[in-house]
Amino acid sequence: MEDFVIVVNRVEDLQATKDLIELELIFDKAKRTIVGGMSVILVRENSKGKQERFNTISTENDFEEYRKQVFRYL
């Protein structure tokens, strides 16, 4: 298994459209990655398409905190 990358721009788009199904798919895969001993890497994609890493989540507790933030207002 390898690290899982979450493009935060995509998550923000899904939040805006309230696409809970797609968000759940992303977060289910991310959780399986962490349970499997790997990390979730959060990146932001700039206007030129370059992805810039800004956070790495490697524990279930940290992941659950991030998940709560994303789903808080949905």
Side-chain angles (χ1 to χ4, degrees):
M1 187 175 260
E2 60 187 48
D3 291 340
F4 183 70
V5 175
I6 294 179
V7 180
V8 175
N9 307 59
R10 174 81 174 126
V11 170
E12 292 168 345
D13 290 343
L14 295 170
Q15 284 175 304
T17 60
K18 299 192 185 309
D19 190 342
L20 297 177
I21 294 171
E22 188 66 26
L23 282 169
E24 287 291 354
L25 289 172
I26 292 168
F27 280 86
D28 285 346
K29 186 168 183 178
K31 183 165 185 164
R32 286 194 308 271
T33 300
I34 288 176
V35 169
M38 302 306 290
S39 297
V40 172
I41 300 168
L42 302 180
V43 300
R44 183 166 296 282
E45 195 170 282
N46 67 21
S47 60
K48 295 180 181 177
K50 183 179 180 202
Q51 293 182 347
E52 297 180 22
R53 175 189 281 196
F54 68 91
N55 196 4
T56 301
I57 301 171
S58 57
T59 67
E60 286 185 61
N61 286 338
D62 290 344
F63 175 73
E64 284 303 318
E65 284 301 313
Y66 175 63
R67 187 181 187 289
K68 285 179 190 175
Q69 288 177 355
V70 170
F71 283 90
R72 177 174 289 143
Y73 299 108
L74 298 177

